[in-house]
Amino acid sequence: MSLPHIQSSLLNQNVSLSLSSSLSYCPPLPFKHCSSALTLGHTQSPCCLPRLSVTCSISKIHSYGTVDYERRPIARWNDVCRRISLNPDPEVGSAAVLNQWENEGRHLTKWELSRVVKELRKYKRYQRALEVYDWMNNRPERFRVSASDAAIQLDLIAKVRGVASAEAFFLSLEDKLKDKRTYGALLNVYVHSRSKEKAESLFDTMRNRGYVIHPLPFNVMMTLYLNLKEYVKVDMLVSEMKEKNIQLDIYTYNIWLSSCGSQGSIEKMEQAFEQMEKDPTVVPNWSTFSTMASMYIRMDQTEKAEECLRKVESRIKGRDRIPFHYLLSLYGSVGKKDEVYRVWNTYKSIFPRIPNLGYHAIMSSLVKLDDIEGAEELYEEWISVKSTYDPRIGNLLLGWYVKKGNTDKALSFFEQMEEGGGIPNSNTWEVLSEGHIADKRISEALSCLKEAFMVANGSKSWRPKPLNLSAFLELCQEQDDMKSAEVLIGLLGKSRFSKNEVYASLIGSSDGTIGKGELSRKIDTADRTDDIVDSENMDGDSQMLFNQLESSF
């Protein structure tokens, strides 16, 4: 199951764990109306622009003494947010910007600062958002901390300072702030970190306190079990919701569908979808069919997958970019190059600027389809418009060159990446090591692996491919270079991977405590998983569900 989108606030007043909700007050843009959904440029369809609605999200912050906040001009908080986000000096934090703003004679309100925090979280500027809260906390006479504030702070602390700091913050809260929102935030932290025992214990506590009476906490736990491949527990939570008459929502169904499909059961997935269709409170959305398409692809049901992709297209509404990324990726997975280009051209016609994720999605598909010329063209296009260099995009071409045995081309391209301002990540170095291993260059391969492990200290997502490490160790044995093998084993032993069964097996194989047949079986299992869980995949199915859930908080 690819892991790679639970996004940013915690429950709304109607849904027990919510921190915020939205009010739409912007009128739709005056485009000619074709249908409620976007039509992705099929030649048989009439060419007309859809009506696109822009929704402006306003945090509903309660009891802050604000009146008619939804009518306030956005200029003030927007200017503050821009100053914080665009400050080129990383040493100058949010506090300095806020102090300067007030020193200029402009008073900041709780509502404005809450809006700044929301916007910073939206763009993953978690450190800066937390600094805003720290600034507010240092002025208790002006800003009252609510349970919603505490829940948002807890989430930010976990992202910036780690789980232990988030737990300490939760324990330090006054009892009146420990409600369904802060408990929900802590549950989300445990699920993100895959702390299964802690999540299950907290979930039981929330049950006892009467906080588990809505879909969201169930959805959070279901996502944990989905990522841990404990699909039976997903089914058990669905059953519990039905027994307690807790309404399944769109996220519940989508996670359930993904779980059924991940078990390889088309019948079970389709039965879950039938229940979804019969539920009058739920309307399948684009992610429903994206999830099903992905599962059909894994089970070689190409026709059913393509049918689902057409339903994804018919359900894209407004100016949502993410469905396009999935369409680009999934059409590539079913081998439909023409459809990949069609979706891409439609995407570009709607959005004047395409983010890195969009370029990654199409280039990944083109590389998969061996259209290297097309991928290289798009790489050059991306280079000309990018705001920041994302090594994951360059890694796509780098990996293709290595896979085709052209290590020299890969090394030349790597030099271009660095000259263009690219900072290699762990995957970059690992791909280069694969090329050196294939060319039997132990010293160069080890140098790249060292770099990969060193860079990985700042990354939570990378893990080395067991098959690649095994190939390196075998090459060391073949060339009687056990000193290099010991260096790699030392790197593994000191890393966070040492407790993983597969990597522990690699360490054991170096001293003979693990038999070669057992090691091969473990590595084969792990690398089959790696085929599904691509550490460079920006848009995995369960990650999509995870982010959609987080956006519903």
Side-chain angles (χ1 to χ4, degrees), residues 217-256:
F218 285 95
N219 295 341
V220 173
M221 289 301 295
M222 287 169 64
T223 306
L224 172 65
Y225 293 134
L226 178 66
N227 285 328
L228 295 176
K229 298 178 173 56
E230 296 187 19
Y231 307 120
V232 172
K233 291 189 176 180
V234 174
D235 293 339
M236 288 171 62
L237 286 176
V238 172
S239 297
E240 181 180 342
M241 291 178 72
K242 291 179 179 179
E243 289 169 7
K244 294 181 176 179
N245 293 318
I246 297 172
Q247 181 63 52
L248 278 64
D249 65 12
I250 185 68
Y251 306 108
T252 316
Y253 279 111
N254 286 348
I255 297 166
W256 189 20

Side-chain angles (χ1 to χ4, degrees), residues 75 79 125 165 201 233-234 264 267 291 297 433 448 460 491 517 527:
D79 286 344
R125 303 298 299 273
S165 295
S201 175
K233 291 189 176 180
V234 174
E267 182 181 2
T291 298
I297 289 169
S433 76
C448 289
K460 296 179 181 178
L491 289 171
D527 278 295

